[in-house]
Amino acid sequence: MIILKRFYFRPIFYHYRTNTTTTTTTKTKLNTFNIEYDPIKQSIIYPQELNLNNKNYSTDSWTNVNENILSRIGLNLHQQKNHPLYHLTNRLRKYFYQFYDQKKSSPKFSIIDNLSPIVTTEQNFDSICIPINHVSRTKSMNYYINQNTLLRAHTSAHQVDLIRSGLNAFLCIGDVYRRDDIDPTHYPVFHQCEGVQLFTKEELFIGNKNVLGDKDNLEIFGPNEQRDATKQEGHTLEAVKLVEASLKKTITDLFKTLLPNTSILNSRWVDTTFPFTHPSWEYEIEIDGKWYELLGCGIMEHRVLENSGLNKDHIGWAFGLGLERIAMIMYGIPDIRLFWTNDSGFLSQFVFDDSTHSIQYKPISIYPQCINDLSMWMGKTKIDPSDFYDLVRAIGGDLIEQVILIDEFYNPKNQRYSQTYRIIYRSMDRTLTKNEINMIHKDIEYHCKQQFGVEIR
Ligand code: FA5
Ligand code: MG
């Protein structure tokens, strides 16, 4: 079933489970960020200012972050020694350091992995040409601190600043935040690595002299070039094809290094669109008959380079890959939640000095799933699934493996919508008792009634 994401937001009750079911009747301070819940108004009350990374941010009607999400800022799993994402970051560093700039006698790619995830909407959207009414800007899809500030939804938020600072080849690695589906390959906080390489006319054509022969007059830009499926307006096809070849070779060679067994896996490039690249592709690999998307990439929109202060003398490629997805395949990690565990049974398997060391994760043990459906009647307006996912995650924490909207219909007689969600519970480290799950499920039902005013069927 396709879940349509719409712009719709109601405050959500976040609280942290202990072993008892909580019935809140008075205003409750929920956490260290002074976020309160008012049961009478059935809404979250944010303080006037949120203090994050020692800086105060005013809150407003756009604020929708929660304690669970804010508590991840600064954890930087990719910098924690011996974490699987730390090893993967080291391997990316090693691969990109092999490209050497003879003129500067230094590696071609700079690696930036410590930028704050708190960014402006200008950085996350405007700077890379995401249109003002684009769906990726909605509150349904992002964690906003206020109308102008959010937790970055991708590392592309830093492209323009880094190019402006003078870099022409770099990786930017960090945590990113999204209100997304819940399943074993999606998590509301994950890590991305952005890669960018720019070329001048000389670098592009001289570097490829053996391919091109001694053709004169090769240019990146031509006066009458139109935008079509293969290129942007202004770009010559020769320039675009050379940049595309560089991008695709860089990525396929990277995965040959990271996943030496890829010869037995199929991979493919899928045409796609991004507001900041054209043409654009996704790179996918096949495992056990299923295709997994590892990254998005493309030829950078020239307007992004203009926003970075460059004239018509550069062309470049960019990619953004998900670290968890790759680490899951590299090490055979079955579930994205494991990256956040403190369980020594998991972490101890990654204690080794040489990050290129190849191991396969051995499950600590496998605990059974428990599936419970929740059906409810609402009014003329449907609940936005993202709001429901946040509520379930806030109450069930990491005991929630997956939430799926399995049924939705409108009853014209009583003018009400109905939705049924399937909630799959499973602990990473123990067998859950029926009683325990029933208590969490009842708690979710209770807060759904409070929060959304629904009637449980
Ligand atoms: C982007 O974020 C683009 N900024 C990538 C890009 C950069 C394209 C530069 C062109 C040029 P996308 O939303 O597809 O694209 O995410 C990129 C990758 O992040 C995905 O391929 C996937 O590997 C990973 N990813 C996306 N959502 C999640 C999630 N919820 N949990 C874990 N990994 C995710
Ligand atoms: Mg994608």
Side-chain angles (χ1 to χ4, degrees), residues 18-82:
T18 54
N19 282 335
T20 54
T21 323
T22 323
T23 311
T24 318
T25 49
T26 52
K27 272 193 203 173
T28 341
K29 192 173 279 189
L30 296 165
N31 52 59
T32 51
F33 296 96
N34 286 324
I35 298 172
E36 293 181 2
Y37 175 66
D38 184 336
I40 298 171
K41 291 195 184 135
Q42 297 178 2
S43 62
I44 290 189
I45 305 165
Y46 289 100
Q48 280 198 334
E49 292 191 326
L50 283 171
N51 185 277
L52 307 170
N53 276 353
N54 295 323
K55 214 178 139 187
N56 285 334
Y57 295 88
S58 57
T59 57
D60 59 24
S61 63
W62 280 74
T63 313
N64 67 353
V65 285
N66 62 61
E67 158 85 359
N68 177 28
I69 288 298
L70 293 177
S71 66
R72 313 294 172 114
I73 297 175
L75 293 183
N76 293 325
L77 298 182
H78 61 293
Q79 294 174 344
Q80 283 182 25
K81 191 160 190 310
N82 291 332

Side-chain angles (χ1 to χ4, degrees), residues 247-408:
L247 168 66
K248 290 187 172 171
K249 180 165 168 40
T250 307
I251 288 171
T252 40
D253 286 355
L254 169 67
F255 284 100
K256 270 186 213 152
T257 315
L258 294 181
L259 310 167
N261 303 333
T262 17
S263 50
I264 53 160
L265 304 170
N266 287 319
S267 62
R268 67 183 183 194
W269 295 96
V270 181
D271 289 341
T272 187
T273 51
F274 293 106
F276 31 92
T277 49
H278 180 73
S280 310
W281 303 275
E282 280 165 346
Y283 183 66
E284 297 187 344
I285 65 172
E286 188 185 20
I287 301 170
D288 296 336
K290 260 185 89 177
W291 287 96
Y292 291 86
E293 177 199 321
L294 299 184
L295 59 86
C297 64
I299 311 295
M300 295 178 78
E301 276 290 344
H302 186 64
R303 284 175 303 144
V304 173
L305 299 188
E306 280 174 352
N307 291 346
S308 318
L310 297 179
N311 296 323
K312 284 197 169 174
D313 44 14
H314 285 83
I315 183 169
W317 53 243
F319 67 77
L321 56 81
L323 294 192
E324 280 83 349
R325 295 266 175 93
I326 296 164
M328 285 170 85
I329 296 163
M330 246 166 71
Y331 298 119
I333 297 172
D335 193 302
I336 198 163
R337 290 173 296 169
L338 281 162
F339 291 96
W340 297 92
T341 184
N342 286 320
D343 191 312
S344 60
F346 175 82
L347 293 172
S348 63
Q349 297 189 33
F350 297 93
V351 179
F352 41 81
D353 286 337
D354 176 3
S355 288
T356 61
H357 183 56
S358 119
I359 63 141
Q360 281 299 296
Y361 166 72
K362 291 183 210 64
I364 314 163
S365 63
I366 292 166
Y367 299 96
Q369 289 183 325
C370 185
I371 300 172
N372 260 359
D373 290 349
L374 196 159
S375 300
M376 50 203 167
W377 285 113
M378 48 212 72
K380 284 184 188 164
T381 323
K382 295 185 272 191
I383 295 177
D384 182 335
S386 312
D387 288 340
F388 182 75
Y389 298 160
D390 270 356
L391 182 143
V392 174
R393 182 81 83 181
I395 294 172
D398 277 355
L399 298 183
I400 307 297
E401 184 171 80
Q402 196 167 358
V403 185
I404 315 160
L405 176 59
I406 52 170
D407 185 40
E408 182 177 271

